[in-house]
Amino acid sequence: MELLLTLLVTLLPFTYLLYLLYKLLDQWRSQCCYIMHYECFKPADDRKLSTEFSGDIIMRNKNLGLQEFKFLLRAVVNSGIGEETYGPRNIIAGTEDYPCISDGLSEMDEFFFTTLDNLFAKTKVSPQEIDILVVNVSMLAAVPSLSSRIINHYKMREDIKAFNLTGMGCSASLISVDLVRNVFKSYKNAYAIVLTSESIAPNWYNGNDKSMILSNCLFRSGGCSMLLTNQNALKHRAKFSLKCLVRTHLGSDDEAYGCCSQQEDDKGRLGFFLGKTLPKAASRAFTQNVRDMAPKILPIGELIRYVALSGIMAVINKYYPSGIKKKVSLKFKKGFDHLCLHPGGAAVIDGIRNSLDMAESDVEPSRMTLHRFGNTSASSLWYVLGYMEAKKRLKKGDRVLMLSFGAGFKCNSCLWEVSTDLEDANVWEDCIAKYPPPTLENPYMEKFGWLNHETQETFNLEKAKACGM
C-alpha cells in the first residue's frame, strides 16, 4: 500500500502536467480558423454600367456644370475601371435622386441569397448548422438588422451568435474575420458565415461637390459570402488557414479620422466625402501596419539582416555624416507569395506597389479586379483572391497577404496559407481568359473627350439636347 501511495504521489505532478499540456493543445486547436469556401457575387448583366450608359447617368444630374463634367472625365479616365462593372437597380432605372430603404434592402437581398444559396449547396452545410453570423455593410443600417433578415430567411437556429457591423468601410471584411476568430476561442467545432458588401443604391450622390462626386466614379455593386470553421478535422477540406491578422486604427488623429466620411454637402445632399488628406492618412496607417505585421510573417534571417544593416548604417552616418546615405529597407516580399491588395483605385495600387517595391505582376490581380468589377468596398479583396484562384496560381503551402484600408482611418492585413491547390474559376469564369487585356484604357475619353473643347454656352446646348429638353 505504501508503495502504491508513493507511486501515486510521484505520478500526480506528471499527470497534472500532461493534463495542462492537453488543455493547451486543445485550446490551440480550437483557435484555428479555416475558410471552407467563399462565394463572390456577380450581378445580372442588365446591371452593367457601360461607357455610354454611365454618360447618360451623369447627364441626368442637373446639378453638374461644365467644370464638374471635366473633373469627372479626368477621374474616370484615370480610375482604372472598365466597362463591365455593375450598379444598383435604382440607378439603372433612373430613380437615384429619390432613394428609399427598399432600394438598399433589395440590393442586399439579391447579393445575400444568391451567394448563400450557392455557398450552402457547394459546401453541403445547412443554414441550421451555422453557429456564428457576421454581416458588414457600412452604409445601410436597417431595423431589423441585415443579419436578422438572413436568419429569418433561412430559419436559422435560435442560439446563433449574430453580429451586424456598419461604418467600417472598405476594411470591414478583415474586421469581420477577426471577430469570428475571437469568437472561435469560446466555441469549439463551430461554423461561421461572414457576408461583406456595400449598399450603393441609397448612397448615390447627386450634387456637385467634387470631393463627393468622386465616389460615384469608384464604387460599384458586389459582395462576398464565406464559410469559416475552427474544426480541425475539416482542415483537409479547407481552402485557406489563417496564420495572423493585424489591425491598425488612426481614429485618435483628427486629420485621419475626418479624411473620408458619409456626410451632407452644403445643400443637404447626402454622399461620401473623400478628402485631400486621405493619401497621407493611408500612408501613415499602412506604415504602422507593416511595422507590426513584418515580425509575424518575415523569416528570421531577413529580420536579422535588416537590424544588422540598420545598425551599421546608423554608426556610419553618426561618425561619417558626409558619407554614403543609404536607406535600409525590409524585403517584405519574402514573407508571402501573393499580394491580395484592396483595389481602391489606380493610385492606391500604384502607391502600395512602390512602397513595397513590388513588381507589376504582384499587383496584377488587384488591377484586373478594379478593371472588371470596380471598387466593391470591403468585398473587393475576395474578387482579387478569386482572380488568383481562377488563374490557378494558388498552390498548397503558398502564403497570401491581404491588405485593406477603410474609413476611420484603418489599415488591416492578414496572412492566409493555401491548404490545397486551387483552381475554381468562380465569378471570373466567363472572362478570365481575356485577362490581363492588352490595354486597360477605357473608352471614356474617346466618347466624351469633346467636353474638354466646350465653352459653357455650347455645353449648355449639348446637355439640353442630351436630356431631351
Side-chain angles (χ1 to χ4, degrees):
M1 181 62 72
E2 239 181 80
L3 182 61
L4 183 60
L5 286 172
T6 304
L7 188 62
L8 286 172
V9 170
T10 304
L11 291 176
L12 191 61
F14 181 70
T15 305
Y16 183 66
L17 181 62
L18 286 177
Y19 171 74
L20 290 178
L21 288 173
Y22 167 77
K23 291 290 288 183
L24 286 172
L25 179 62
D26 186 55
Q27 184 180 15
W28 174 79
R29 284 161 62 93
S30 66
Q31 289 181 14
C32 297
C33 183
Y34 304 106
I35 289 183
M36 302 303 295
H37 189 67
Y38 64 99
E39 191 75 20
C40 291
F41 178 53
K42 185 179 179 183
D45 285 349
D46 62 356
R47 292 175 58 180
K48 282 186 178 180
L49 299 176
S50 65
T51 299
E52 187 171 354
F53 188 56
S54 295
D56 293 341
I57 294 172
I58 294 171
M59 285 292 183
R60 291 200 301 248
N61 187 347
K62 297 180 175 58
N63 297 308
L64 298 180
L66 179 59
Q67 295 309 311
E68 287 80 24
F69 274 92
K70 289 181 177 180
F71 170 78
L72 281 172
L73 180 61
R74 289 195 303 272
V76 76
V77 165
N78 297 317
S79 67
I81 292 178
E83 284 205 284
E84 295 193 304
T85 60
Y86 303 93
R89 294 194 181 280
N90 68 321
I91 294 174
I92 303 296
T95 59
E96 68 272 14
D97 287 351
Y98 310 100
C100 54
I101 189 69
S102 62
D103 292 328
L105 292 176
S106 62
E107 179 187 22
M108 290 299 99
D109 284 349
E110 193 173 344
F111 150 60
F112 289 157
F113 307 134
T114 300
T115 57
L116 285 176
D117 286 350
N118 291 336
L119 191 71
F120 292 134
K122 291 178 180 179
T123 60
K124 309 300 183 187
V125 174
S126 75
Q128 287 68 42
E129 293 180 81
I130 304 304
D131 304 285
I132 303 156
L133 175 64
V134 182
V135 179
N136 67 73
V137 178
S138 288
M139 296 197 294
L140 180 63
V143 180
S145 68
L146 297 175
S147 56
S148 294
R149 198 173 182 86
I150 294 167
I151 292 169
N152 175 262
H153 180 85
Y154 289 103
K155 308 306 177 189
M156 292 176 166
R157 299 198 321 259
E158 294 178 358
D159 64 342
I160 190 170
K161 307 298 180 289
F163 303 88
N164 203 89
L165 307 182
T166 62
M168 295 296 179
C170 297
S171 63
S173 63
L174 294 192
I175 294 172
S176 298
V177 169
D178 191 37
L179 175 58
V180 167
R181 180 184 66 160
N182 283 291
V183 176
F184 274 166
K185 294 176 183 178
S186 301
Y187 296 91
K188 295 180 182 179
N189 300 321
Y191 279 121
I193 290 283
V194 169
L195 295 102
T196 177
S197 184
E198 187 55 273
S199 181
I200 308 296
N203 293 289
W204 189 264
Y205 179 63
N206 61 1
N208 58 2
D209 189 318
K210 291 181 180 179
S211 62
M212 296 172 76
I213 56 177
L214 188 59
S215 62
N216 290 357
C217 296
L218 294 175
F219 291 102
R220 296 292 186 267
S221 295
C224 182
S225 300
M226 63 204 83
L227 176 67
L228 302 97
T229 187
N230 60 349
Q231 299 181 50
N232 204 52
L234 296 177
K235 67 179 181 181
H236 66 284
R237 289 172 47 194
K239 287 193 169 188
F240 305 93
S241 62
L242 182 63
K243 310 310 289 184
C244 63
L245 191 150
V246 173
R247 291 168 57 180
T248 303
H249 203 309
L250 301 184
S252 60
D253 181 87
D254 291 342
E255 188 175 70
Y257 173 78
C259 70
C260 54
S261 62
Q262 185 182 25
Q263 63 185 49
E264 295 172 332
D265 64 12
D266 56 359
K267 302 292 184 182
R269 296 174 294 224
L270 186 66
F272 194 75
F273 167 79
L274 298 171
K276 293 180 179 179
T277 59
L278 193 151
K280 180 181 176 183
S283 177
R284 283 184 53 208
F286 169 70
T287 301
Q288 182 61 51
N289 190 273
V290 168
R291 186 180 294 126
D292 294 338
M293 177 60 89
K296 299 177 184 293
I297 68 171
L298 286 175
I300 188 67
E302 174 59 20
L303 295 173
I304 292 173
R305 182 199 70 84
Y306 175 75
V307 171
L309 288 179
S310 297
I312 292 171
M313 291 307 301
V315 171
I316 291 175
N317 291 333
K318 180 178 180 181
Y319 292 101
Y320 302 96
S322 59
I324 300 173
K325 300 288 184 180
K326 185 178 179 181
K327 184 180 179 182
V328 180
S329 59
L330 281 168
K331 295 180 180 179
F332 205 62
K333 185 67 168 62
K334 287 191 174 184
F336 57 92
D337 302 291
H338 308 279
L339 176 63
C340 187
L341 172 64
H342 169 61
V348 172
I349 295 172
D350 291 337
I352 298 301
R353 178 197 168 191
N354 293 333
S355 296
L356 295 180
D357 194 23
M358 299 278 104
E360 178 59 31
S361 59
D362 293 316
V363 297
E364 176 197 310
S366 296
R367 211 179 290 281
M368 298 307 111
T369 298
L370 180 64
H371 183 267
R372 174 61 182 85
F373 293 98
N375 179 352
T376 61
S377 190
S379 66
S380 292
L381 284 173
W382 306 97
Y383 289 89
V384 178
L385 192 66
Y387 180 88
M388 297 177 188
E389 185 173 355
K391 283 290 187 182
K392 302 180 181 180
R393 296 176 182 175
L394 300 179
K395 305 301 180 182
K396 184 177 180 179
D398 284 359
R399 289 149 67 91
V400 181
L401 179 68
M402 278 189 169
L403 185 63
S404 64
F405 301 89
F409 192 86
K410 300 180 286 292
C411 177
N412 299 323
S413 62
C414 71
L415 189 72
W416 298 99
E417 184 175 297
V418 182
S419 301
T420 186
D421 292 356
L422 300 176
E423 50 185 37
D424 183 2
N426 52 80
V427 290
W428 290 90
E429 185 173 14
D430 67 339
C431 62
I432 192 63
K434 298 185 293 186
Y435 279 89
T439 177
L440 292 178
E441 291 183 7
N442 57 45
Y444 284 91
M445 184 60 75
E446 180 183 344
K447 182 74 176 177
F448 299 105
W450 56 268
L451 283 166
N452 291 324
H453 308 291
E454 292 294 305
T455 64
Q456 188 63 53
E457 184 179 353
T458 57
F459 170 73
N460 289 339
L461 291 173
E462 288 289 340
K463 189 175 181 184
K465 189 187 303 180
C467 295
M469 296 172 62

